[in-house]
Amino acid sequence: MFSAGSPWPTLSDQEVPWYPRLPSDVVPRSVRLRHSGPYRAAVVPLIATARPTLDAATSALADEASREIARFDAELGGEIAPFATVLLRSESASSSQIEQLTAGARAIAVAELGDGASRNAASILGNVRAMRAALDLAGDLSPSTILAMHAALLDEVEPTIAGRWRTDQVWIGGDSYGPHGAAFIPPVADDVPALIDDLVAFAHREDVPVLVLAAVSHAQFETIHPFPDGNGRTGRALIHALLRRYELTRAVTVPVSAGLLSEVDGYFAALTAYREGDIDPIVSALSTGALSAVVNARHLVADLHQVRARWDDVVLARRDATAWRVADLLVRQPVLDAATIARELGVSPGNALRALEPLVAAGVVTEFTGRARNRLWQAAEVLTAVDAFAARAGRRRAAG
């Protein structure tokens, strides 16, 4: 537990001139008047050497969540292949859902095959790529690797801003015409590079417990808001980069965003409290979210184990048949085409189709395109389990 000390540094603000470009023949006069004159942008303090202080209850909660994360990671360490991809994809979908970007498990799986995708599914697939970049680059965390995460997130959907710091003012809340009346106005764009350098220096600290380090780094990142879009998803990918960098997770992705999603209003309130000098709420939100996510993820893993065990009872194939390898593949990739099976299992496309036959006969997979060529097969039970995970994650929020 941290000893009591000075509160976390708070934001100040500065007056910034505003040069509106609102055409009088389109925008009402009342709107133009509201967005005239200077505005006040946040001045974000440096934190590289700041000492986080937590109350005893928050510190104990963070310790408990850290133990549960490590235990869950160890539980799945021996069976990474079936579940690492599913959990990473589930985390990406949950993080996107916080930003009101939703798509079902089948839509996301189809998008991964490159068979056409809705904009939401494409955005979530970008988040999957950002998460993978965060984990791959965790050992070399720097401003450049944060840019790489953002590029992976938005290259496909917003290439003009992907992997670049913002050059204009952004704001949260209010309307799109200008920053006046916004709920929060992040620092001016010229401040972003130095603030990110400072954040990275803090993220390299080894005297701060990992979950606390991740929570504070995330909140500081969201406060800087260094991109025109994609800040929330990149900032939550940063959490996983830090969990992996300091080896709280070694094998799988704990879907903490699914936990945050269950109390998203509290999560946003915690970010506001952070800007006012109180770090306990964001550490508490991340810790509580992680504990909830572990419970939900264990449920998902149990559901997938049950599905795979049922297939053993209904599929009629020799023990050495390729069909069983396809069954294992379906747990992590519940929508498949012949090309994917051939590539993943090292067989010919013709043999891939033959390997599907016992699974089709048993009702494990069904073809759902109705096409004569470029057909796709789905494992409905796996998709149902993944969609149930997402429903549990969002249930408390919907009930509120």
Side-chain angles (χ1 to χ4, degrees):
M1 182 183 72
F2 291 112
S3 61
S6 60
W8 194 250
T10 57
L11 277 63
S12 57
D13 58 36
Q14 64 177 333
E15 185 173 276
V16 183
W18 176 248
Y19 305 102
R21 294 182 294 273
L22 302 177
S24 58
D25 58 337
V26 175
V27 179
R29 181 174 180 272
S30 61
V31 173
R32 286 184 282 118
L33 287 174
R34 186 163 69 248
H35 293 291
S36 61
Y39 64 95
R40 303 198 72 82
V43 175
V44 178
L46 302 179
I47 65 168
T49 61
R51 180 173 174 79
T53 61
L54 299 173
D55 65 31
T58 304
S59 183
L61 181 63
D63 288 345
E64 179 189 5
S66 297
R67 289 193 298 272
E68 279 300 297
I69 290 171
R71 188 169 72 153
F72 178 72
D73 185 79
E75 286 171 2
L76 294 188
E79 48 180 341
I80 297 173
F83 302 118
T85 299
V86 173
L87 291 169
L88 186 146
R89 195 184 296 125
S90 297
E91 165 64 7
S92 301
S94 297
S95 182
S96 298
Q97 192 172 346
I98 291 173
E99 309 298 331
Q100 307 296 320
L101 294 167
T102 60
R106 188 172 86 170
I108 298 168
V110 169
E112 285 192 291
L113 294 178
D115 195 74
S118 67
R119 183 173 179 83
N120 276 9
S123 295
I124 293 169
L125 186 56
N127 208 11
V128 172
R129 289 191 292 268
M131 284 290 304
R132 288 186 174 132
L135 297 175
D136 291 343
L137 300 169
D140 185 29
L141 186 64
S142 68
S144 295
T145 56
I146 294 174
L147 289 172
M149 294 177 208
H150 188 257
L153 175 71
L154 292 183
D155 263 342
E156 295 293 325
V157 292
E158 295 186 76
T160 59
I161 65 170
R164 299 177 177 87
W165 306 127
R166 60 179 168 91
T167 57
D168 294 312
Q169 185 66 65
V170 294
W171 54 91
I172 299 170
D175 58 40
S176 61
Y177 295 111
H180 304 77
F184 175 63
I185 305 175
V188 296
D190 286 348
D191 289 352
V192 166
L195 286 168
I196 291 293
D197 287 343
D198 174 74
L199 168 60
V200 169
F202 176 80
H204 281 79
R205 294 265 295 270
E206 296 186 355
D207 62 332
V208 181
V210 177
L211 202 61
V212 177
L213 186 82
V216 171
S217 297
H218 171 67
Q220 182 76 353
F221 180 90
E222 298 304 322
T223 300
I224 299 168
H225 234 65
F227 300 114
D229 190 23
N231 292 284
R233 287 166 287 167
T234 306
R236 288 184 288 276
L238 177 63
I239 292 172
H240 290 282
L242 291 170
L243 297 182
R244 182 61 55 88
R245 174 183 175 82
Y246 293 104
E247 299 186 340
L248 193 56
T249 60
R250 299 168 182 259
V252 296
T253 303
V254 177
V256 294
S257 291
L260 295 173
L261 183 62
S262 69
E263 190 52 78
V264 71
D265 290 341
Y267 164 55
F268 288 137
L271 291 174
T272 298
Y274 172 85
R275 295 166 191 147
E276 296 169 352
D278 186 359
I279 68 170
D280 283 277
I282 191 61
V283 174
S284 178
L286 183 58
S287 301
T288 303
L291 289 168
S292 174
V294 166
V295 172
N296 197 357
R298 283 196 177 109
H299 193 159
L300 172 60
V301 169
D303 286 347
L304 294 176
H305 273 304
Q306 186 175 26
V307 167
R308 183 63 185 82
R310 192 190 77 81
W311 294 350
D312 285 340
D313 295 334
V314 300
V315 174
L316 300 178
R318 299 189 318 272
R319 285 292 94 188
D320 62 347
T322 306
W324 297 113
R325 296 171 63 201
V326 177
D328 291 338
L329 178 60
L330 283 164
V331 174
R332 68 178 189 268
Q333 186 65 49
V335 176
L336 291 172
D337 56 13
T340 300
I341 297 171
R343 183 183 66 252
E344 292 289 328
L345 302 187
V347 299
S348 69
N351 285 337
L353 291 173
R354 281 188 286 275
L356 277 170
E357 290 173 1
L359 302 173
V360 172
V364 166
V365 296
T366 55
E367 204 288 325
F368 63 92
T369 66
R371 300 188 298 227
R373 301 177 61 185
N374 301 318
R375 292 179 292 169
L376 300 176
W377 287 265
Q378 65 177 353
E381 291 168 292
V382 176
L383 294 170
T384 297
V386 175
D387 282 334
F389 169 91
R392 289 190 299 271
R395 191 168 293 151
R396 185 174 175 187
R397 180 187 183 192

